[in-house]
Coordinates of all heavy atoms in Angstrom, one line a residue:
Chain L
L11 N -5.2 3.7 -16.6 CA -5.4 5.0 -16.2 C -6.8 5.4 -16.5 O -7.3 5.3 -17.6 CB -4.4 6.0 -17.0 CG -4.6 7.5 -16.8 CD1 -4.3 7.8 -15.3 CD2 -3.7 8.2 -17.7
C22 N -9.8 -11.5 -13.1 CA -8.8 -12.4 -12.6 C -9.1 -13.8 -13.1 O -10.2 -14.3 -12.8 CB -8.8 -12.4 -11.0 SG -7.8 -13.6 -10.3
V37 N -7.5 -7.6 -3.0 CA -6.7 -6.9 -2.0 C -5.9 -5.8 -2.8 O -5.4 -6.2 -3.9 CB -5.7 -7.8 -1.2 CG1 -4.8 -7.0 -0.3 CG2 -6.4 -8.9 -0.5
M83 N -15.6 -1.4 -10.7 CA -15.3 -0.3 -9.9 C -15.9 1.0 -10.5 O -15.6 1.3 -11.6 CB -13.8 -0.1 -9.8 CG -13.1 -1.4 -9.2 SD -11.3 -1.1 -9.0 CE -10.7 -0.8 -10.6
A101 N -9.1 -22.3 3.9 CA -9.4 -22.6 5.3 C -8.8 -23.9 5.7 O -9.0 -24.9 5.0 CB -10.9 -22.6 5.6

Side-chain angles (χ1 to χ4, degrees):
Chain L
L11 175 63
C22 171
V37 176
M83 304 186 295

